[in-house]
Amino acid sequence: MKALVTGITGQIGSYLAEHLIDNDIEVHGTIRRHSVVETQNHRIDHLQDKIKTHYADLTDVSSLEKVLEETKPDLIFNLGALSHVKIGGEQPNYCLQSNTIGVLNLIEAMKSIVPKARMSQSSSSEMFGNSKVENGYQNEDTPMNPVSVYGISKLASYHLMKHYRSAHNMFLCNSICFNNESSRRGTNFVTNKIVTGALSIKLGLQDKLYLGNLKSRRDWSHSQDIAEAMLKIIKHDKPDDFVIASGQTRSVQEFCHLIFSLLGMDYNDHVEIDPKFYRPEELHYLQGDSSKARKELNWTPKFSFMDLVSEMINNNKLALENGITINTKALV
Ligand code: F7E
């Protein structure tokens, strides 16, 4: 069996590649042209002799057709995207080009070249916006009212998947991922910004950490658990949509307090609010109900929240102590 992973150089992509290899699936991945080739593949460097990468871009349909012709995959995982919510608002046109038109390009290319293949789209809890059901959770039936260009781009592609599934009888699934983190997370997402910022303060490399809205709440899982769910979703006996989440919610402030305390510090002494990190419209509360995936796919997360936090602190500490430069001055 062969899989094609777009976004293989990203956090989930790299864990998914490892998981597919462990399941004896041949792995191909697409990478985009990048001017700094030295760091582009750092999350998959350890896999280079086990996977094959191809240059392609979701916004360039001819490159997708070429890679599908060359690889003829059985499974396609679309993880490629402009994945930062705030940057999505700063580059709205590109956000829709890559996250919506890119998905359309991939589905159309798949329809003509490998119509029997299966595809999983990385949909996002950002599609819900500020909706929740009565019990406070978001599930597959919760209304979707996105509050960001990123959320809108993901909602449009979610509907493209559903439409082509029923109109053209294609095996298209939406993996509705809530926030997921790891020590491979980019430092411009809030969890790793806080972890690397706090570690840098502890090691005397900086004094302050500037953040935006501390009140918003997120449902944070480990990305490895999300990658494992994606394989279960695509291998299910029918194409369907599933929420993948931990079911726990914590505020950014609680996360800050925990990380600084674990490092023997008080975040109040070091964290300052800079309104430049506020979102134009905030999504305030996420708590996913993944009981459908747990029941129908027998999926359960392997990592607890404290496993995730310990891994993030320990691996980033090791990197900093070994002189590996981590950019803790994220602009967003
Ligand atoms: O923000 C607040 C910010 O950038 C989380 C992506 O993987 O998950 C992710 O999107 C919260 C927001 O993730 C800073 O306002 C405060 O409320 O880590 P984040 P996100 O926007 O939730 C979804 C499911 C995806 O699909 C996305 O691809 O933290 N926050 N201060 C901050 N956020 C950032 N980035 N930087 C701050 O300084």
Side-chain angles (χ1 to χ4, degrees):
M1 190 166 270
K2 256 188 259 176
L4 178 70
V5 182
T6 70
I8 196 166
T9 57
Q11 178 187 222
I12 312 179
S14 62
Y15 286 117
L16 180 63
E18 288 169 6
H19 187 51
L20 294 171
I21 293 166
D22 289 346
N23 281 273
D24 294 323
I25 297 172
E26 184 180 316
V27 180
H28 295 259
T30 62
I31 56 170
R32 283 176 298 162
R33 194 269 163 182
H34 196 290
S35 60
V36 190
V37 281
E38 293 77 9
T39 49
Q40 181 177 12
N41 294 337
H42 75 276
R43 293 188 182 98
I44 52 165
D45 273 342
H46 62 296
L47 302 174
Q48 286 296 3
D49 55 347
K50 297 190 181 133
I51 63 176
K52 184 151 176 18
T53 53
H54 309 256
Y55 275 105
D57 192 311
L58 287 165
T59 62
D60 178 348
V61 73
S62 63
S63 71
L64 298 175
E65 287 166 354
K66 186 163 174 284
V67 77
L68 288 181
E69 287 286 3
E70 276 171 18
T71 58
K72 297 272 168 61
D74 306 288
L75 309 176
I76 301 169
F77 296 89
N78 184 38
L79 282 87
L82 188 167
S83 66
H84 198 286
V85 173
K86 186 155 186 281
I87 300 174
E90 283 157 23
Q91 302 185 333
N93 192 305
Y94 178 70
C95 186
L96 287 161
Q97 287 295 334
S98 58
N99 298 5
T100 307
I101 304 299
V103 177
L104 180 65
N105 287 343
L106 192 53
I107 299 172
E108 279 289 343
M110 175 182 164
K111 184 162 156 271
S112 52
I113 299 165
V114 277
K116 297 278 169 242
R118 297 177 170 209
M119 176 175 160
S120 154
Q121 160 64 6
S122 306
S123 290
S124 165
S125 52
E126 191 71 21
M127 301 186 305
F128 294 112
N130 285 306
S131 302
K132 51 189 173 193
V133 286
E134 262 173 29
N135 62 7
Y137 289 77
Q138 291 90 15
N139 64 27
E140 293 80 3
D141 300 321
T142 304
M144 293 176 177
N145 295 305
V147 292
S148 61
V149 174
Y150 172 85
I152 292 164
S153 72
K154 285 284 179 177
L155 182 56
S157 49
Y158 164 88
H159 281 298
L160 285 169
M161 294 290 284
K162 286 171 87 80
H163 168 65
Y164 275 75
R165 176 164 76 210
S166 51
H168 303 287
N169 198 24
M170 295 170 75
F171 201 108
L172 303 175
C173 327
N174 284 296
S175 305
I176 307 173
C177 307
F178 280 58
N179 294 57
N180 56 97
E181 319 295 316
S182 71
S183 49
R184 296 184 192 173
R185 186 59 142 156
T187 53
N188 58 358
F189 294 92
V190 82
T191 54
N192 220 14
K193 186 174 172 184
I194 293 169
V195 171
T196 52
L199 281 167
S200 301
I201 291 168
K202 182 77 182 168
L203 295 173
L205 303 173
Q206 69 187 65
D207 186 38
K208 295 284 178 207
L209 174 63
Y210 296 93
L211 295 171
N213 180 13
L214 302 188
K215 301 286 175 211
S216 56
R217 300 181 75 87
R218 290 292 183 272
D219 178 326
W220 285 296
S221 297
H222 195 295
S223 301
Q224 208 172 313
D225 282 327
I226 301 284
E228 293 192 16
M230 282 180 177
L231 182 57
K232 283 182 179 283
I233 289 171
I234 211 169
K235 284 173 89 178
H236 193 41
D237 50 18
K238 61 177 195 309
D240 204 350
D241 309 320
F242 292 92
V243 159
I244 309 297
S246 77
Q248 300 168 14
T249 185
R250 291 178 175 83
S251 69
V252 175
Q253 190 165 18
E254 285 163 9
F255 192 87
C256 254
H257 171 71
L258 176 67
I259 301 298
F260 277 82
S261 317
L262 288 172
L263 294 173
M265 300 182 288
D266 182 344
Y267 82 94
N268 289 300
D269 297 335
H270 300 282
V271 171
E272 287 192 9
I273 302 302
D274 186 336
K276 83 171 178 201
F277 297 116
Y278 290 155
R279 307 270 160 98
E281 193 178 355
E282 181 64 90
L283 190 165
H284 301 289
Y285 186 98
L286 284 173
Q287 185 170 25
D289 172 2
S290 57
S291 41
K292 180 176 169 188
R294 290 172 198 243
K295 191 162 159 250
E296 288 186 30
L297 306 172
N298 200 19
W299 173 77
T300 37
K302 295 195 178 109
F303 290 81
S304 70
F305 181 69
M306 283 314 293
D307 293 337
L308 168 66
V309 162
S310 309
E311 180 205 295
M312 292 182 79
I313 292 181
N314 293 338
N315 288 359
N316 281 307
K317 186 161 173 271
L318 213 59
L320 281 168
E321 284 170 350
N322 287 329
I324 295 171
T325 320
I326 295 179
N327 174 20
T328 57
K329 298 196 173 49
L331 296 167
V332 281

